[in-house]
Amino acid sequence: MSLLPRTAEEFSSAEYWERFFKKRGEKAFEWYGDYNKLCGVLHKYIKPRDKVLVVGCGNSELSEQLYDVGYRHLTNIDISETVVNHMNQKNAKQRPDLTFQTVDATQTPYEDGSYQAALDKGTLDAMASQEEGALAGRMLAEVGRVLGIGGRYVCVTLAQESVIKLAVEHFVQVGWAVRLHCLGDPESQEVSSFALPVFVLVCTKFRQPMPMPILEMCQGEDGAPVRLPVVADLLSVVRERQAYAMLRQRLRTGTNATSTPSLTLCHAPTGRPRYTLTVQDCPPGAKVPRANHFAIFIVPQGRESDWLYGSAEGRGQLAASANFRRLVVVAMHREQEYTDMQAVQSELSPMVMELAPPGMPANHQVPFLSVGGELGWREVVSRGTSDLSGQYSVEDVRGEDGQLYRRLVFLGNEGLVQSESRLTDPAAAAASSQKKKSRRKAKPSAPPPVTTPSQTPGGALEVDKGFLCCAHHRVMVAGLAMLGVGTDHNKDVSVLLVGLGGGGLPQFLRDFVPGAKVEVVELDPAVLEVAQGWFGFTPDDRLTVTLGDGLERINNMEREGGHQYNVIMFDVDSKDPSLGMSCPPPAFVDTAFLERVGKLLTPQGVFMLNLVCRDSALKKSVLSRVRGVFPHVLSRGIEGEVNEVLLCSRGTGETGVPPTLLKAGKTLQGSLGMNSSGAATCSPQIDITELLEDLKVA
């Protein structure tokens, strides 16, 4: 449209506005909203008795509407003589005290301190692009001169970052208090092509400059002010409000199954994340019931890292099962309190309704979905910081099966559970055993309620060392069948494992595989500390840990000579998420390094690799390099995950899965948990045969 500026610089040009208003004629131009949208916040800061300077008034009806509700001390100035003449003629009879003057806002004829308020609707935005902000700076200085003590500069703006930064820094430097209102419009169902929110900047002049900056942000005209420490934080909040407005606009105007935007809702008083919302639209052509417009799914606490909720593929499957045009998946954050499902629904309802798909009928009932109507349960038992991986959280959660689990999560990648172990309560197990013995004597009774550990008197949780939560760890254990572990001719097995995690895999190998001696190489001392403190990891003479870089450790051992292992396992993640391969780091599958690994293996030794690679071309390259060193490579994918475990050896001439492998697996199964005298010490929960049945040649 030719009536709008082609470039930002035109905003501050007197010639531009002359052309603009001549083209507009008598039609009012409501720059950034009309009186009805702005009146709430304007009446809050500008009183009818105040003497007000309206800077860059244009032909807006705002001054006329303020005059009509009792504001009789308005001085309107504009750089355009055309618009000033027009507005004076228009109001001469009906509003005789409403004056319009052709005045440059950077040099006005008014006395110092002669006004109680200055009202600016878009003028700052127009001037800020000129002279690298110098023109706007002169206008702000002039406003500061003509305002008295306690006077307010009230500016309606789109808050482009360079503009709002210029104004806020100016007023902070001269010691004024700064408050910014974001005028959202959550009640409106209208779809506008103009998505950016309007802000109102309110700067208050003090007799003495403030020693510390006062920076506040308010949502809406009546929102409680949130104090921010520095200008950069205020600008960050503005960007977030603008991004949300753009997202809301996009969601209101259409559906897109290929885009799954997410946003975080923060607790207003503290600013800490409280909910993360992910939008999932149904694909084109999906057969969705006409009434199924929109639904909200509440992820149980502690389950947000599950594949179904924490991955794009999983959420797509969840949305397909729910079968709505749009599903919003809501995850709750750790260290936040949630009373019950009803309270969560009440808290979320106003916000999530802004994300409804286009065409949803007014007053349509939007269902909240969940697993069994429960919020789930999570308890953070420890937090800390790793120098290598940042902040982490150790937390106990209740799984889908009702069991309790302990998880290690690095907060820089909250969608990934770094380690997980199942928990048991020995006291509860003993009590359950006693109840079974006396069941015949006992009278029927109602089942006990589900309890959390904090509800269990004297309950001390322990890690169940016989249960491996990670499927790829179970595959690695099953891969020991390739060595004939458990047979009389192979009584001992030496294992080198790069990557400790919570220590579940090496502890299982040490406790349940007869004759196993395990050396772990772990780069991060914090991970070792967590494994020992919270995951039951207990090193001894058969289970040792070397702190250091796995690459360096293997290079040094190969160079030194004299080191041989039956099994070498890589279960180490990459710190670079941009590579398309999150496990292992690329250097671990370099051909020269793989050759060093091969030299550290016994002739019948097995190299096991946990491969997590989403890039098909990169994965093909990795497999080619691995096969170049280890001609016999078997693989097994993990259902519902990207992980694939590679079992690699130099081979014995077989071209497929060895026919004797299942038999060897049964032998291994029978030997697990046997001590040196052959008596079972405990019962590990793993099905070796099932794990081996799905092996294929890579």
Side-chain angles (χ1 to χ4, degrees):
M1 175 178 172
S2 62
L3 292 180
L4 291 176
R6 292 185 298 274
T7 61
E9 286 75 10
E10 291 185 78
F11 276 177
S12 55
S13 158
E15 291 77 12
Y16 167 76
W17 291 111
E18 281 294 311
R19 294 195 308 271
F20 181 93
F21 287 114
K22 285 179 179 177
K23 287 183 179 181
R24 294 286 306 186
E26 297 184 359
K27 188 175 180 180
F29 182 61
E30 293 307 336
W31 196 241
Y32 302 174
D34 59 12
Y35 172 80
N36 291 329
K37 182 173 184 176
L38 301 172
C39 62
V41 70
L42 295 184
H43 293 329
K44 185 173 183 176
Y45 295 106
I46 304 175
K47 304 306 177 187
R49 65 177 180 274
D50 289 344
K51 188 177 178 183
V52 183
L53 179 65
V54 183
V55 181
C57 61
N59 68 347
S60 167
E61 295 176 349
L62 181 59
S63 291
E64 297 170 339
Q65 291 163 326
L66 287 171
Y67 183 95
D68 291 344
V69 296
Y71 288 80
R72 299 303 171 88
H73 309 291
L74 303 173
T75 302
N76 299 275
I77 64 173
D78 198 279
I79 199 171
S80 169
E81 187 175 351
T82 298
V83 76
V84 167
N85 291 337
H86 167 71
M87 296 302 287
N88 277 324
Q89 292 172 9
K90 179 183 176 183
N91 292 282
K93 293 183 179 180
Q94 191 173 353
R95 302 176 183 89
D97 297 327
L98 187 60
T99 61
F100 294 82
Q101 301 174 15
T102 305
V103 173
D104 183 346
T106 65
Q107 39 187 340
T108 70
Y110 313 117
E111 295 181 0
D112 294 357
S114 54
Y115 288 90
Q116 285 79 53
L119 177 57
D120 171 349
K121 194 170 77 158
T123 302
L124 173 66
D125 290 10
M127 287 186 165
S129 61
Q130 193 79 340
E131 300 178 16
E132 298 182 346
L135 185 66
R138 294 198 296 273
M139 184 269 287
L140 295 176
E142 184 67 2
V143 165
R145 182 186 69 80
V146 301
L147 283 177
I149 302 303
R152 291 184 171 121
Y153 171 62
V154 180
C155 175
V156 183
T157 172
L158 291 182
Q160 184 179 348
E161 183 159 340
S162 59
V163 175
I164 201 70
K165 183 174 185 288
L166 183 153
V168 171
E169 288 183 344
H170 171 88
F171 287 112
V172 165
Q173 187 174 9
V174 295
W176 291 29
V178 174
R179 178 177 290 179
L180 194 61
H181 286 261
C182 178
L183 300 187
D185 193 15
E187 303 295 328
S188 175
Q189 297 300 315
E190 297 181 7
V191 177
S192 168
S193 60
F194 192 69
L196 286 175
V198 170
F199 292 82
V200 178
L201 175 67
V202 181
C203 303
T204 305
K205 184 176 183 178
F206 289 95
R207 186 177 301 277
Q208 296 294 329
M210 302 301 296
M212 296 291 292
I214 297 179
L215 299 166
E216 295 177 333
M217 185 73 185
C218 305
Q219 182 60 39
E221 61 186 48
D222 295 319
V226 176
R227 186 70 60 91
L228 298 159
V230 293
V231 173
D233 289 346
L234 181 66
L235 298 178
S236 177
V237 174
V238 170
R239 286 194 298 272
E240 290 169 359
R241 298 288 192 274
Q242 292 169 331
Y244 173 69
M246 297 293 287
L247 171 63
R248 185 178 66 179
Q249 173 74 3
R250 179 154 58 91
L251 294 175
R252 283 179 171 181
T253 54
T255 58
N256 183 356
T258 63
S259 173
T260 57
S262 65
L263 65 149
T264 299
L265 305 181
C266 296
H267 185 233
T270 64
R272 299 187 65 177
R274 184 162 174 80
Y275 299 100
T276 293
L277 280 57
T278 304
V279 179
Q280 186 79 46
D281 288 339
C282 70
K287 296 181 179 179
V288 178
R290 292 184 63 183
N292 286 15
H293 292 280
F294 187 39
I296 316 300
F297 185 91
I298 307 296
V299 177
Q301 290 185 86
R303 301 273 306 282
E304 61 279 344
S305 299
D306 290 8
W307 177 83
L308 188 62
Y309 313 123
S311 69
E313 297 91 342
R315 287 190 296 269
Q317 181 175 307
L318 178 67
S321 300
N323 205 19
F324 284 81
R325 286 179 57 213
R326 175 169 291 163
L327 182 72
V328 172
V329 182
V330 179
M332 293 172 279
H333 280 249
R334 53 185 52 81
E335 295 191 343
Q336 290 279 339
E337 294 184 3
Y338 306 92
T339 307
D340 52 34
M341 184 62 75
Q342 186 60 46
V344 168
Q345 292 182 20
S346 299
E347 186 177 19
L348 284 173
S349 290
M351 180 62 72
V352 295
M353 291 306 296
E354 297 186 27
L355 308 179
M360 189 178 80
N363 302 318
H364 180 75
Q365 283 293 109
V366 177
F368 278 76
L369 312 176
S370 63
V371 178
E374 298 293 330
L375 286 180
W377 174 83
R378 164 177 34 217
E379 181 180 359
V380 176
V381 296
S382 178
R383 295 196 74 162
T385 302
S386 159
D387 291 339
L388 298 176
S389 302
Q391 291 186 326
Y392 63 81
S393 173
V394 180
E395 48 200 45
D396 295 347
V397 303
R398 188 175 298 283
E400 187 176 7
D401 56 3
Q403 298 282 347
L404 296 179
Y405 295 86
R406 178 161 293 164
R407 292 174 169 176
L408 169 61
V409 179
F410 283 101
L411 302 186
N413 188 4
E414 297 188 52
L416 176 68
V417 175
Q418 207 276 347
S419 299
E420 182 175 37
S421 294
R422 193 166 72 182
L423 299 175
T424 61
D425 185 346
S432 175
S433 176
Q434 186 63 35
K435 285 181 181 179
K436 289 180 181 178
K437 292 179 181 179
S438 59
R439 184 172 296 168
R440 292 181 180 178
K441 301 179 182 179
K443 296 180 179 180
S445 60
V450 175
T451 60
T452 63
S454 58
Q455 297 170 323
T456 306
L461 296 176
E462 294 182 357
V463 170
D464 184 352
K465 297 182 180 180
F467 183 81
L468 290 170
C469 290
C470 297
H472 70 279
H473 286 170
R474 297 195 291 271
V475 175
M476 286 178 160
V477 172
L480 296 176
M482 296 176 65
L483 290 168
V485 173
T487 60
D488 290 338
H489 69 272
N490 197 345
K491 294 184 177 180
D492 297 319
V493 56
S494 56
V495 180
L496 175 66
L497 170 61
V498 180
L500 173 64
L505 175 58
Q507 192 71 55
F508 186 98
L509 295 171
R510 182 254 177 262
D511 290 348
F512 300 112
V513 176
K517 187 172 183 179
V518 185
E519 177 187 344
V520 184
V521 182
E522 172 55 47
L523 181 63
D524 194 341
V527 170
L528 174 59
E529 183 179 341
V530 168
Q532 290 182 279
W534 294 102
F535 288 86
F537 180 68
T538 310
D540 59 14
D541 59 339
R542 290 179 49 212
L543 177 56
T544 60
V545 180
T546 299
L547 285 173
D549 188 332
L551 294 168
E552 293 180 4
R553 176 66 175 156
I554 287 176
N555 287 334
N556 290 338
M557 287 193 296
E558 190 272 331
R559 187 165 48 248
E560 293 166 2
H563 300 275
Q564 288 275 278
Y565 297 93
N566 300 111
V567 184
I568 296 178
M569 300 176 172
F570 286 176
D571 187 25
V572 55
D573 64 330
S574 171
K575 305 301 181 187
D576 187 349
S578 66
L579 297 175
M581 182 169 68
S582 55
C583 186
F588 280 82
V589 286
D590 177 76
T591 299
F593 185 71
L594 291 173
E595 289 174 348
R596 295 187 186 97
V597 171
K599 292 177 182 178
L600 291 176
L601 285 170
T602 61
Q604 285 75 41
V606 180
F607 168 53
M608 302 185 186
L609 172 65
N610 176 30
L611 177 63
V612 184
C613 186
R614 295 179 182 274
D615 186 322
S616 57
L618 179 57
K619 181 178 177 180
K620 184 177 180 180
S621 172
V622 170
L623 288 172
S624 176
R625 277 175 269 155
V626 171
R627 283 192 295 261
V629 178
F630 302 97
H632 190 229
V633 180
L634 302 179
S635 74
R636 189 186 190 280
I638 306 302
E639 184 178 0
E641 299 181 23
V642 185
N643 299 60
E644 182 176 354
V645 178
L646 304 183
L647 305 177
C648 316
S649 67
R650 294 183 178 86
T652 55
E654 304 99 335
T655 56
V657 179
T660 58
L661 191 58
L662 290 181
K663 183 179 178 180
K666 292 178 181 178
T667 302
L668 173 61
Q669 182 82 56
S671 71
L672 293 178
M674 305 290 286
N675 61 20
S676 58
S677 62
T681 56
C682 55
S683 179
Q685 300 163 65
I686 186 171
D687 189 333
I688 300 294
T689 302
E690 180 185 7
L691 292 164
L692 294 176
E693 284 177 344
D694 294 329
L695 283 176
K696 63 180 182 180
V697 177

